[in-house]
Amino acid sequence: MAQPDNKKFFENLSGAGKAIAVLTSGGDAQGMNAAVRAVVRMGIYVGAKVYFIHEGYQGMVDGGDNIQEATWESVSSMLQVGGTVIGSARCKEFRTHEGRLQAAHNLVQHGITNLCVIGGDGSLTGANLFREEWSGLLAELVQQGLISEEAAEQYSVLHIVGMVGSIDNDFCGTDMTIGTDSALHRIIEVVDAIMTTAQSHQRTFVLEVMGRHCGYLALVSALACGADWVLIPEMPPEDGWEEKMCEKLSANRAGMKRLNIIIVAEGAIDRNNKPITTEHVKDLVVRSLGFDTRVTILGHVQRGGTPSAFDRILASRMGGEAVLALLETTANTAACVVSLCGNQAVRLPLMECVQMTQEVQKAMDEKRFEDAVKLRGRSFENNLRTYKLLAHRKPESDLPRSNFNVAVLNVGAPAAGMNAAVRSAVRVGISEGHKMFAVNDGFEGFSKGQIKEFKWGDVGGWTGQGGSLLGTKRTLPAKHTEKIAEQIRKYNINALLVIGGFEALECLLQLCEARATYEELCIPLCVLPATISNNVPGTDLSIGADTALNAIVETCDRIKQSASGTKRRVFIIETMGGYCGYLASVGGLAAGADAVYIYEEPFDIRDLQANVEHLTEKMKTSIQRGLVLRNENSNVNYTTDFIYQLYSEEGKGVFDCRKNVLGHMQQGGAPSPFDRNFGTKIAAKAMQWISKKLQESYRQDDADNIYISSLLFKL
């Protein structure tokens, strides 16, 4: 496939003669700096002038030194910094006509007619009002003699593009807002720490997380840690919830669980719109059950800290898209907001999204809670549906009886999030009425009969565990097909769910080829992509890739920080990934690498020399640290040692080099909130697909049950 001509594309979108200003407004969120950096560098790249507006709308109104031209170097070393380095402030003056008039005057003085606003729905609504009043404000400035008629005509149109920075993920029209994933990291770090002490003392913990009008953080953190109960504003509990919650907590303790976790959004309400506080929940548990109960309010710790890899990538992509949107605007283009839909950055009408967001609160005020959940979007709906499916076990008498047996196993290298997927698959399968069997040590264990029936409680606490608790091996089934078919017949396995990377896909292809010989293999087969390399075809993301990216980015941050007292140093970092450059390229984007070498993009000695020259020029500025990432199999000759020696020799006298091979640390550690949530949801969807296929393919033929399926499913 021919590569797109990026140079020609950007020539058609020249920003020459344009001035773009970027500001952050409202509450801060991790990842805002990455968005600011992307706007500045993309703007400069296309030839535009880019300005910082410090302190949000307050800086726009005050003018002066608050509006400064940005340079390429001025946004260096911003990616790993939390909050917003250009400042954010709530501005009463901007809410007045006089304040907006002064802001317009300050922008015209700098020739700024393109505004990129990073904030919440209030900040974006204010920007749209400013845009609508712009021509009238310029007319007033002309009347007052503050600007000339020529200037008013030259800067007659103000273009607005928004990006949503909010840890609450409370803006409709986008699957995720900048800062949400980082806030989830802070929450899960605390929950994981609390669970160890809670288990030691058999305690119940009630945690309050942010979300005054939106329960996203509470819901997803509950899903990611397997909380016993969650309370959110969009879907208040049914009347009598107190008794049901206490019954569930008591049942979990009776099932040998030594702790209980209850997560409460700060805006949680009951069906009568009365607040449900953490103290109320604590008193209820103590009074009804007598459990030792503690309350933890996370507060602003959720806003702080280093942004996650996901937020850096999301903000960088949104920032680049925002600049392209500004370059493509015309006088009649409405204000837009850059949103995330699936895995793509898209542009949506700003005010439609704002109005939909306001409609959610209206629906909650009017007690139309089902409508509020739908308005939040399909991602929120899916999270809520999955949580209910996994957290609340139906009584045995209410479960459907399918008489189907489903086996789950892991294949290939371990990936963080595999255990969350297994837990989800087992519990959803039980809810569907199936008998669930777990296989140890992949297909090798399958051939040896290492198969055991799993119950609901057997996977309790698995969500936050790294690695593969079932065990996993790379062994392919071709050599053991006969024994595998024998075990399928022995345990009457009717469907198979395989969790793994490219090896898992290859395994099922081998089983499909063997169907002509072994009738037992004519059952629904399903692959869940789980590999840090993210090299499984048919899916944008794989379980484990996000955790590995965070490990890479955190390590790169520390390595760069180690050189803070050392001048002119370049680091060569080798990442895993086999022949797939996902970890290196996306890790390079999130860590702010100067160069990335991957297998998919061939390079030669001339490219290496050009990069050395680039770093040499860079070291002459105030930026005196360099970062280069190399995928482990990017080139058989240009190895990490070769690149290290080349850079060391060519940069002699200008900079010195250090190398680091990250190795298997990328596979270890607890799964990130994203991988826990992703693994949980796609495993639930896979089990529902399996149930559907089993029902479709089932046929009663005299005394024999025949299962007909020849589909390989890739999610």
Side-chain angles (χ1 to χ4, degrees):
M1 179 182 291
Q3 295 294 317
D5 191 343
N6 289 328
K7 186 175 181 181
K8 186 176 291 184
F9 173 76
F10 287 115
E11 282 176 357
N12 295 332
L13 289 173
S14 173
K18 291 193 176 183
I20 300 171
V22 58
L23 65 95
T24 54
S25 178
D28 66 312
Q30 307 98 317
M32 279 184 166
N33 290 324
V36 170
R37 173 181 178 272
V39 170
V40 169
R41 292 199 167 177
M42 188 61 148
I44 292 172
Y45 182 78
V46 297
K49 277 190 175 183
V50 186
Y51 291 86
F52 293 132
I53 299 181
H54 293 273
E55 311 306 333
Y57 287 119
Q58 189 67 56
M60 193 189 296
V61 173
D62 294 342
D65 292 339
N66 288 305
I67 303 177
Q68 293 181 338
E69 186 173 353
T71 63
W72 189 277
E73 292 77 18
S74 63
V75 292
S76 294
S77 303
M78 283 176 62
L79 271 171
Q80 68 271 24
V81 181
T84 165
V85 297
I86 61 174
S88 178
R90 304 191 188 276
C91 179
K92 292 181 179 178
E93 290 95 328
F94 193 75
R95 297 181 181 180
T96 66
H97 181 78
E98 291 74 17
R100 292 192 292 275
L101 185 67
Q102 183 61 43
H105 184 219
N106 291 329
L107 292 187
V108 170
Q109 283 184 315
H110 290 84
I112 298 169
T113 56
N114 298 278
L115 206 56
C116 184
V117 180
I118 309 167
D121 62 321
S123 301
L124 300 182
T125 302
N128 189 67
L129 175 63
F130 189 42
R131 171 184 165 276
E132 290 175 346
E133 293 182 346
W134 181 257
S135 59
L137 295 172
L138 295 194
E140 284 188 52
L141 292 172
V142 170
Q143 287 180 354
Q144 295 176 14
L146 295 174
I147 64 172
S148 65
E149 290 185 3
E150 291 77 9
E153 185 176 347
Q154 184 179 357
Y155 307 120
S156 59
V157 180
L158 179 67
H159 303 293
I160 299 287
V161 171
M163 287 182 278
V164 187
S166 167
I167 69 166
D168 293 339
N169 200 28
D170 56 356
F171 192 82
C172 294
T174 184
D175 291 343
M176 288 281 274
T177 57
I178 297 169
T180 302
D181 187 71
S182 300
L184 284 171
H185 274 258
R186 302 294 95 77
I187 294 169
I188 294 303
E189 286 167 8
V190 171
V191 172
D192 285 350
I194 279 176
M195 288 177 79
T196 57
T197 183
Q199 187 160 348
S200 300
H201 298 279
Q202 297 191 61
R203 282 179 175 152
T204 296
F205 271 85
V206 184
L207 282 81
E208 180 184 288
V209 301
M210 284 187 167
R212 197 168 28 188
H213 303 295
C214 179
Y216 184 88
L217 288 180
L219 176 59
V220 175
S221 58
L223 195 61
C225 72
D228 298 279
W229 204 267
V230 65
L231 294 161
I232 60 174
E234 289 90 347
M235 186 53 69
E238 300 288 345
D239 293 338
W241 65 272
E242 295 93 342
E243 292 180 9
K244 292 179 181 178
M245 183 184 75
C246 290
E247 285 175 6
K248 185 171 189 292
L249 298 179
S250 182
N252 285 345
R253 286 294 177 94
M256 305 304 292
K257 189 175 180 181
R258 292 177 58 87
L259 74 154
N260 300 110
I261 299 291
I262 302 167
I263 297 183
V264 183
E266 64 176 326
I269 54 175
D270 63 16
R271 289 275 160 176
N272 297 312
N273 282 342
K274 292 182 180 178
I276 299 176
T277 65
T278 50
E279 287 298 329
H280 172 68
V281 175
K282 174 192 172 184
D283 293 343
L284 175 65
V285 174
V286 172
R287 185 174 64 252
S288 302
L289 301 174
F291 290 172
D292 185 5
T293 307
R294 298 287 191 273
V295 170
T296 299
I297 298 175
L298 272 65
H300 282 74
V301 70
Q302 297 160 87
R303 285 193 186 278
T306 300
S308 66
F310 183 94
D311 272 330
R312 300 186 196 192
I313 297 160
L314 174 66
S316 297
R317 291 177 62 189
M318 283 186 169
E321 186 66 25
V323 172
L324 295 181
L326 288 171
L327 294 180
E328 293 173 356
T329 54
T330 64
N332 300 319
T333 304
C336 73
V337 60
V338 179
S339 301
L340 180 71
C341 183
N343 196 34
Q344 299 297 318
V346 298
R347 306 170 200 171
L348 298 176
L350 173 60
M351 289 315 296
E352 285 185 21
C353 295
V354 169
Q355 287 162 8
M356 197 183 304
T357 303
Q358 294 168 348
E359 188 64 33
V360 176
Q361 187 59 48
K362 183 180 177 183
M364 289 192 286
D365 293 340
E366 296 174 356
K367 301 181 182 180
R368 294 184 289 111
F369 299 112
E370 289 78 9
D371 291 341
V373 170
K374 289 180 181 178
L375 287 166
R376 282 285 180 222
R378 63 178 185 179
S379 176
F380 191 94
E381 276 189 285
N382 194 16
N383 286 324
L384 183 58
R385 192 183 309 114
T386 306
Y387 176 78
K388 287 180 177 179
L389 198 61
L390 298 175
H392 303 293
R393 185 182 183 184
K394 296 177 183 177
E396 293 287 342
S397 57
D398 293 345
L399 291 175
R401 295 294 176 185
S402 72
N403 296 320
F404 292 125
N405 297 339
V406 181
V408 183
L409 70 157
N410 296 334
V411 172
M418 276 183 164
N419 297 320
V422 172
R423 168 185 176 268
S424 176
V426 168
R427 292 194 169 181
V428 172
I430 292 172
S431 296
E432 297 278 340
H434 310 318
K435 273 190 177 181
M436 297 300 299
F437 291 84
V439 181
N440 292 109
D441 296 334
F443 280 104
E444 186 175 319
F446 204 140
S447 66
K448 295 176 181 178
Q450 297 175 7
I451 304 170
K452 177 186 175 183
E453 184 180 354
F454 263 35
K455 301 293 186 182
W456 186 278
D458 292 334
V459 289
W462 280 37
T463 311
Q465 298 291 321
S468 169
L469 295 176
L470 288 182
T472 179
K473 291 193 175 181
R474 297 180 184 270
T475 307
L476 298 178
K479 295 181 180 179
H480 309 284
T481 310
E482 184 177 350
K483 292 181 179 179
I484 290 169
E486 182 182 327
Q487 296 298 332
I488 290 176
R489 185 167 58 251
K490 178 181 176 181
Y491 288 92
N492 192 27
I493 302 298
N494 308 120
L496 199 58
L497 175 62
V498 181
I499 304 170
F502 199 83
E503 295 93 344
L505 188 62
E506 194 173 354
C507 286
L508 290 203
L509 288 172
Q510 289 184 1
L511 293 181
C512 285
E513 290 172 359
R515 280 174 166 171
T517 307
Y518 301 99
E519 187 181 20
E520 293 85 356
L521 300 178
C522 295
I523 58 177
L525 304 173
C526 177
V527 174
L528 279 193
T531 167
I532 69 168
S533 301
N534 196 27
N535 61 351
V536 180
T539 179
D540 288 342
L541 294 169
S542 300
I543 299 167
D546 183 74
T547 304
L549 275 176
N550 278 286
I552 292 167
V553 169
E554 288 168 14
T555 304
C556 289
D557 287 349
R558 292 182 182 184
I559 286 172
K560 288 196 294 184
Q561 191 177 39
S562 73
S564 58
T566 307
K567 290 187 176 182
R568 297 178 179 173
R569 178 163 289 173
V570 175
F571 295 93
I572 315 294
I573 311 294
E574 181 182 293
T575 69
M576 296 178 82
Y579 290 97
C580 179
Y582 178 83
L583 288 181
S585 58
V586 181
L589 175 62
D594 295 280
V596 174
Y597 302 118
I598 60 175
Y599 179 79
E600 294 89 342
E601 192 172 66
F603 58 95
D604 57 25
I605 194 67
R606 290 182 294 274
D607 298 311
L608 294 172
Q609 183 62 38
N611 290 335
V612 171
E613 292 171 359
H614 160 72
L615 284 167
T616 303
E617 288 299 314
K618 177 181 175 179
M619 294 301 170
K620 295 176 182 178
T621 68
S622 59
I623 309 166
Q624 299 187 339
R625 285 172 292 174
L627 182 67
V628 176
L629 266 63
R630 176 188 178 273
N631 167 239
E632 58 184 347
N633 289 338
S634 58
N635 190 291
V636 68
N637 295 312
Y638 300 136
T639 63
T640 302
D641 284 334
F642 176 89
I643 293 174
Y644 163 69
Q645 291 169 5
L646 176 68
Y647 273 62
S648 297
E649 181 63 29
E650 295 298 318
K652 190 178 292 184
V654 180
F655 59 81
D656 62 356
C657 283
R658 297 290 186 273
K659 65 176 178 178
N660 194 303
V661 179
L662 301 185
H664 283 78
M665 66 165 291
Q666 297 161 84
Q667 286 183 336
S672 67
F674 182 92
D675 276 330
R676 300 184 195 195
N677 190 20
F678 183 53
T680 297
K681 288 197 292 187
I682 65 169
K685 187 170 183 180
M687 282 307 304
Q688 289 166 346
W689 179 87
I690 285 174
S691 296
K692 180 183 176 184
K693 290 301 170 185
L694 286 171
Q695 295 296 334
E696 288 176 356
S697 60
Y698 174 84
R699 181 178 82 220
Q700 186 72 30
D701 187 8
D702 296 326
D704 298 323
N705 292 335
I706 300 174
Y707 310 103
I708 305 166
S709 178
S710 58
L711 294 175
L712 174 65
F713 178 70
K714 303 189 291 289
L715 191 61

